[in-house]
């Protein structure tokens, strides 16, 4: 089954750049949207199809979402494509998912590059086959100068493991005299996270009706608005993305402060 529904290049001609919000005005378009793409298995089960059919359809939904993000003027998009817990799924499904990732890297990156998308990957990439690891490095390198959309793909990612790894590196830096524990603050700690240089998500969206974060961006989610949609990920489209953005625009963000 082909992955492509329509060429992503079509987006470039119709991109609508959102005006920057006025100083002091509420920012209606989130700078950074993070998505927990959930429901592929249920989508397939409802059609008596193998789970991989749901994941393939999920990859098509991802293409639509990238296009929607570009059209909406969202600058940063992070997707949870494979959690550290996903390795515990049946071996056949893990093989299907890594195969889909391999296919995605080989066949979709060139088009993403041409459309101004910069790719980054977070998570424990050492668990993937060497050819996939090489393709991840190449995709990051080949798209490094793009600025239209920053797409971060969480692969073999778990937030607790990320925070633990950061804490270990902080301890090592302290031990080696490179860091004074008295100067350790939130900004310094963030330099040790895999998301260094990436703004915190403004909006975290999860599909399929489940309402939890499932070990996704736990540090970075501190002040994110959460939106849960009752749509299975393979059915997700531009209208759902717009619905989540509209929901976000209605929220009053206080970052812990009292309203003025
Ligand atoms: C959750 O659905 C989804 C995943 C575990 C994988 C997400 C992968 C894609 C959307 C494929 C495209 C992405 C790349 C980069 C190859 P689930 O299987 O947990 O669904 P269920 O909860 O209904 O069983």
């Amino acid at each position: 089954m082909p992955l492509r529904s329509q060429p992503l290049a079509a987006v470039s001609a119709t991109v609508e750049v959102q005006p920057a919000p006025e100083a002091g005005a509420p920012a209606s378009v989130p700078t950074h949207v993070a998505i927990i793409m959930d429901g592929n298995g249920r989508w397939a089960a409802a059609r008596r199809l193998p789970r991989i059919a749901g994941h393939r359809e999920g990859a098509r939904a991802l293409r639509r979402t990238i296009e929607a993000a570009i059209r909406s003027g969202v600058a940063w998009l992070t997707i949870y494509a494979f959690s550290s817990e996903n390795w515990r799924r049946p071996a056949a499904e893990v093989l299907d998912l890594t195969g889909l990732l391999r296919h995605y890297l080989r066949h979709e990156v060139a088009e993403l590059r041409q459309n101004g998308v910069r790719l980054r990957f977070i998570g424990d990439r050492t668990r993937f086959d060497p050819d996939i690891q090489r393709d991840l490095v190449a995709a990051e390198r080949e798209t490094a100068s793009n600025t239209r959309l920053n797409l971060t793909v969480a692969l073999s990612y778990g937030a607790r493991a990320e925070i633990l790894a950061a804490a270990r590196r902080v301890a090592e830096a302290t031990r080696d005299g490179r860091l004074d524990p008295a100067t350790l603050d939130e900004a310094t700690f963030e330099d040790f996270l895999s998301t260094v240089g990436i703004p915190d998500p403004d909006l975290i969206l999860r599909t399929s009706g489940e309402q939890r974060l499932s070990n996704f961006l736990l540090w970075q989610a501190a002040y994110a608005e959460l939106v849960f949609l009752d749509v299975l990920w393979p059915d997700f489209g531009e209208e759902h993305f717009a619905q989540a953005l509209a929901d976000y625009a209605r929220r009053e963000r206080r970052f812990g402060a009292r309203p003025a």
Side-chain angles (χ1 to χ4, degrees):
M1 225 188 295
L3 262 181
R4 295 170 185 201
S5 49
Q6 60 167 39
L8 188 62
V11 172
S12 58
T14 54
V15 108
E16 287 168 28
V17 179
Q18 297 285 327
E22 288 170 31
S28 57
V29 177
T31 300
H32 183 176
V33 177
I35 306 184
I36 302 173
M37 309 179 291
D38 195 14
N40 295 351
R42 276 163 282 172
W43 184 93
R47 289 160 181 76
R48 298 178 191 276
L49 293 170
R51 292 178 64 84
I52 182 63
H55 296 315
R56 283 203 193 106
E57 203 57 38
R60 292 193 188 92
L62 176 56
R63 287 176 62 82
R64 294 194 291 273
T65 306
I66 293 168
E67 293 168 5
I70 292 174
R71 276 192 233 278
S72 310
V74 167
W76 297 81
L77 180 68
T78 298
I79 52 160
Y80 207 2
F82 195 96
S83 76
S84 40
E85 289 74 30
N86 286 158
W87 292 110
R88 288 196 231 120
R89 292 193 176 193
E93 187 176 354
V94 170
L95 203 60
D96 281 342
L97 278 167
T98 53
L100 190 58
L101 173 63
R102 184 179 279 112
H103 180 95
Y104 202 87
L105 288 167
R106 301 228 168 121
H107 299 277
E108 305 270 330
V109 169
E111 204 172 340
L112 292 172
R113 187 185 65 225
Q114 283 157 19
N115 280 283
V117 177
R118 178 174 182 173
L119 275 160
R120 291 179 178 82
F121 301 96
I122 56 172
D124 181 8
R125 58 178 79 186
T126 65
R127 295 187 72 177
F128 291 101
D129 290 340
D131 66 307
I132 291 183
Q133 291 187 45
R134 279 195 297 276
D135 287 348
L136 295 175
V137 173
E140 286 181 325
R141 191 186 55 236
E142 288 165 15
T143 62
S145 59
N146 282 346
T147 54
R148 178 186 264 168
L149 177 71
N150 290 280
L151 175 62
T152 303
V153 184
L155 288 172
S156 188
Y157 174 86
R160 286 185 174 183
E162 177 192 32
I163 294 167
L164 198 56
R168 190 175 297 118
R169 291 172 55 214
V170 165
E172 286 165 359
T174 305
R175 179 197 63 198
D176 299 345
R178 288 179 281 121
L179 182 72
D180 175 1
T183 66
L184 183 65
D185 56 13
E186 290 182 11
T188 311
F189 189 77
E190 284 168 1
D191 288 343
F192 291 85
L193 293 171
S194 64
T195 51
V196 58
I198 300 176
D200 285 346
D202 303 292
L203 165 63
I204 297 182
L205 158 61
R206 182 173 189 148
T207 58
S208 91
E210 307 288 348
Q211 302 194 355
R212 53 182 174 270
L213 288 178
S214 298
N215 206 14
F216 186 47
L217 300 178
L218 296 184
W219 172 281
Q220 299 84 347
Y223 290 104
E225 296 294 329
L226 308 181
V227 171
F228 301 104
L229 292 182
D230 244 332
V231 57
L232 300 175
W233 177 251
D235 291 326
F236 190 85
E238 181 148 21
E239 70 276 25
H240 302 104
F241 194 77
Q243 186 186 333
L245 260 50
D247 197 342
Y248 171 86
R250 284 191 294 270
R251 306 270 178 99
E252 188 189 352
R253 303 190 74 201
R254 295 186 194 151
F255 298 96
R258 282 165 172 274

